[in-house]
């Protein structure tokens, strides 16, 4: 179908007073155009954030964005910062063992925040987007004299060290060496913040609101593409609220894949082990020769597909390809069943290399998937899904 004709089909659906979600899914399954923020808008609908009745959007979005602002005000706090005399220990002491102590909560939160801070600074290192300043910083945070900036709570202190040289009875030479932070992900000055700082805040709030699950390494790879799509929306009215909209879409998506991130649920129907086993069964049905080769080499799916499934392939391809794959995954009505076929397609496409390879070479190939047109993989996945097992 010609590109302009596809644009018109999307516009016909998106301009309806009540969005036909079924038709949107069918259309988006084959890819969403980047033009004029269509992908960002479609993802808001496909991730069940926006209601299908467009008349409800203004009030709904106003309420959600106000709620997110409330989360920031209530959860990104420094204990004792409200004390009029500036004494942060007046009502609550940092050494208090009271379980209701704000300081106790603060220190526990910082343990989680330390991991989040490390992970968001590594987000999509092949592009500079996350290191750039956002045009819509959170004013309550960036104008707080660093009190509310999350990264300052876990800033790594670096001890100064010195090289001492002394020759005989002569003058001792002391050379101070100070380790500098990674400049690429250096925090912005007062009044500004980088995109990675925004993502850090989203993940921190999610962890606070979901204490049973909290933050698990890898969640940064799930929020990254969503936030990127929303923060690059040409529609300034949507782009201004990329942070809050990303938070709620991420929360909805995590409600569907949360079992992948909870070890105690690995063996449940939607746990990661069951998903990997389903992929192996599908591989057996799709390409028995490759399956037998894997059995012979004892090449278990845990060695390569754990990351594929848990992170929805976000680590295997460049960001533009991930966005295209996610168009299809988010459009899948029986959510993430199609992910199994995509993973199988990735293996089947490499069958000649895999059948001739040994354990180390095959494992390396699967863990470092070679660059290729993702449309080839998706087309193969559709073909596999239509085969009768």
């Amino acid at each position: 179908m010609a590109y302009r004709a596809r644009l018109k089909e999307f516009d016909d659906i998106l301009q309806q007073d009540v969005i036909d979600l079924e038709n949107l899914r069918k259309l988006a399954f084959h890819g969403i155009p980047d033009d004029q923020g269509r992908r960002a808008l479609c993802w808001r609908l496909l991730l069940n954030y926006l209601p299908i009745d467009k008349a409800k959007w203004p009030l709904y979005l106003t309420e959600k964005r106000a709620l997110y602002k409330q989360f920031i005000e209530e959860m990104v706090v420094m204990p004792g910062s409200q004390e009029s005399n500036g004494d942060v220990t007046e009502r609550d002491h940092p050494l208090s063992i009271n379980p209701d102590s704000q300081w106790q909560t603060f220190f526990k939160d910082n343990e989680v925040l330390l991991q989040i801070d490390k992970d968001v600074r590594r987000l999509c290192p092949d592009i500079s987007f996350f290191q750039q300043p956002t045009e819509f910083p959170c004013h309550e945070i960036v104008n707080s004299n660093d009190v509310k900036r999350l990264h300052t709570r876990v800033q790594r202190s670096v001890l100064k060290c010195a090289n001492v040289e002394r020759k005989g009875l002569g003058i001792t030479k002391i050379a101070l060496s100070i380790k500098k932070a990674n400049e690429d992900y250096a925090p912005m000055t007062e009044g500004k913040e980088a995109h990675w700082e925004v993502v850090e805040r989203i993940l921190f709030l999610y962890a606070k609101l979901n204490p049973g699950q909290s933050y698990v390494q890898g969640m940064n790879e799930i929020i990254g593409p969503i936030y990127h799509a929303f923060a690059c929306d040409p529609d300034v009215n949507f782009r201004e609220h990329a942070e809050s909209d990303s938070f709620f879409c991420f929360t909805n998506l995590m409600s569907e894949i949360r079992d992948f991130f909870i070890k105690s649920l690995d063996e449940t129907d939607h746990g990661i082990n069951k998903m990997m086993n389903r992929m192996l069964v599908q591989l057996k049905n799709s390409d028995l020769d490759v399956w037998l080769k894997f059995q012979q080499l004892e090449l278990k799916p845990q060695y390569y597909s754990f990351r594929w499934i848990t992170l929805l392939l976000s680590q295997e391809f460049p960001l533009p390809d991930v966005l295209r794959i996610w168009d299809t995954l988010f459009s899948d009505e029986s959510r993430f069943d199609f992910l199994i076929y995509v993973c199988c397609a990735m293996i089947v496409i490499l069958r000649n290399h895999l059948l001739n390879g040994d354990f180390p070479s095959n494992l390396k190939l699967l863990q470092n998937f070679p660059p290729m047109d993702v449309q080839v993989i998706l087309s193969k996945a559709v073909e596999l899904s239509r085969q009768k097992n």
Side-chain angles (χ1 to χ4, degrees):
M1 185 188 297
Y3 187 68
R4 287 184 181 278
R6 276 186 60 74
L7 290 180
K8 186 176 184 307
E9 283 205 320
F10 273 97
D11 290 341
D12 289 345
I13 292 175
L14 295 174
Q15 286 167 8
Q16 293 172 351
D17 292 336
V18 177
I19 305 292
D20 186 337
L21 202 55
E22 186 177 345
N23 275 337
L24 180 63
R25 283 198 187 103
K26 288 177 182 175
L27 196 58
F29 186 86
H30 300 287
I32 303 170
D34 286 323
D35 301 54
Q36 299 172 17
R38 289 181 181 87
R39 172 173 282 129
L41 182 56
C42 288
W43 281 15
R44 286 179 174 93
L45 289 158
L46 295 171
L47 291 171
N48 302 314
Y49 174 52
L50 281 177
I52 59 172
D53 185 350
K54 287 174 72 174
K56 296 179 180 177
W57 286 8
L59 179 61
Y60 178 84
L61 288 171
T62 300
E63 289 176 347
K64 284 290 188 181
R65 289 160 180 174
L67 178 60
Y68 184 76
K69 187 177 180 182
Q70 185 181 335
F71 289 158
I72 293 176
E73 291 170 353
E74 293 179 0
M75 296 181 195
V76 184
V77 293
M78 177 74 179
S81 59
Q82 304 301 318
E83 301 297 346
S84 56
N85 63 357
D87 182 2
V88 297
T89 66
E90 184 174 351
R91 300 183 194 179
D92 190 8
H93 198 279
L95 299 181
S96 171
I97 58 172
N98 184 344
D100 297 325
S101 164
Q102 279 193 341
W103 281 104
Q104 281 279 310
T105 304
F106 179 79
F107 292 132
K108 284 180 182 174
D109 288 347
N110 283 358
E111 292 175 16
V112 176
L113 186 55
L114 182 61
Q115 185 62 58
I116 295 174
D117 190 71
K118 286 179 184 175
D119 291 346
V120 295
R121 290 171 187 257
R122 294 193 286 249
L123 199 53
C124 297
D126 51 329
I127 61 172
S128 64
F129 170 79
F130 289 97
Q131 302 151 28
Q132 302 300 320
T134 171
E135 61 182 310
F136 298 106
C138 180
H139 295 295
E140 295 87 346
I141 302 293
V142 298
N143 297 315
S144 64
N145 290 319
D146 279 355
V147 171
K148 289 192 171 186
R149 283 189 185 251
L150 292 175
H151 65 81
T152 61
R153 289 169 49 167
V154 290
Q155 207 152 22
R156 294 159 198 77
S157 299
V158 180
L159 292 175
K160 292 181 180 179
C161 59
N163 294 323
V164 179
E165 294 179 22
R166 186 171 182 176
K167 294 181 180 178
L169 299 174
I171 299 173
T172 302
K173 179 183 175 185
I174 301 177
L176 272 176
S177 108
I178 302 172
K179 188 178 177 184
K180 290 188 177 179
N182 184 340
E183 293 299 325
D184 288 344
Y185 287 86
M188 298 282 165
T189 54
E190 185 78 0
K192 298 179 181 179
E193 63 181 344
H195 289 295
W196 68 261
E197 295 180 74
V198 179
V199 173
E200 181 173 40
R201 188 160 55 246
I202 293 172
L203 291 170
F204 177 73
L205 291 176
Y206 179 82
K208 288 280 288 179
L209 289 164
N210 296 272
Q213 182 183 23
S214 189
Y215 172 78
V216 178
Q217 199 168 9
M219 288 182 182
N220 58 309
E221 306 294 349
I222 301 295
I223 182 60
I226 296 174
Y227 176 75
H228 180 274
F230 290 4
C232 294
D233 195 326
D235 186 336
V236 68
N237 294 316
F238 274 116
R239 191 167 72 247
E240 182 180 357
H241 300 285
E243 180 178 351
S244 54
D245 290 357
S246 296
F247 171 83
F248 288 111
C249 285
F250 171 72
T251 300
N252 288 354
L253 178 56
M254 285 305 303
S255 71
E256 299 182 42
I257 63 172
R258 62 187 290 273
D259 292 5
F260 297 171
F261 290 89
I262 301 177
K263 189 168 180 58
S264 60
L265 299 177
D266 281 356
E267 301 298 337
T268 62
D269 286 343
H270 297 287
I272 186 63
N273 285 344
K274 280 293 176 72
M275 289 289 283
M276 289 190 293
N277 288 334
R278 282 178 57 196
M279 193 211 69
L280 207 55
V281 169
Q282 184 56 49
L283 178 63
K284 184 179 181 181
N285 293 329
S286 300
D287 196 322
L288 183 60
D289 290 341
V290 174
W291 181 84
L292 287 170
K293 180 71 174 183
F294 282 10
Q295 295 297 109
Q296 175 197 340
L297 296 176
E298 296 186 3
L299 185 53
K300 300 179 188 299
Q302 288 87 339
Y303 301 154
Y304 57 91
S305 67
F306 180 90
R307 188 177 70 186
W308 291 4
I309 295 171
T310 304
L311 304 183
L312 306 181
L313 299 170
S314 61
Q315 286 285 279
E316 314 314 313
F317 302 96
L319 183 60
D321 290 346
V322 173
L323 300 180
R324 171 60 192 93
I325 292 169
W326 283 17
D327 290 343
T328 296
L329 296 184
F330 293 166
S331 305
D332 181 14
E333 214 165 345
S334 50
R335 190 82 92 201
F336 305 118
D337 278 1
F338 193 74
L339 176 60
I340 299 296
Y341 293 110
V342 177
C343 293
C344 277
M346 290 166 65
I347 297 171
V348 171
I349 285 171
L350 299 177
R351 76 183 308 272
N352 291 337
H353 293 285
L354 295 169
L355 290 174
N356 294 314
D358 56 10
F359 182 94
S361 63
N362 282 352
L363 184 60
K364 184 178 180 181
L365 184 63
L366 293 170
Q367 289 184 342
N368 300 276
F369 197 81
M372 68 174 63
D373 184 354
V374 291
Q375 194 55 51
V376 173
I377 299 170
L378 292 171
S379 298
K380 188 67 177 178
V382 170
E383 181 189 322
L384 296 180
S385 71
R386 290 173 178 167
Q387 289 177 354
K388 289 186 179 179
N389 297 330

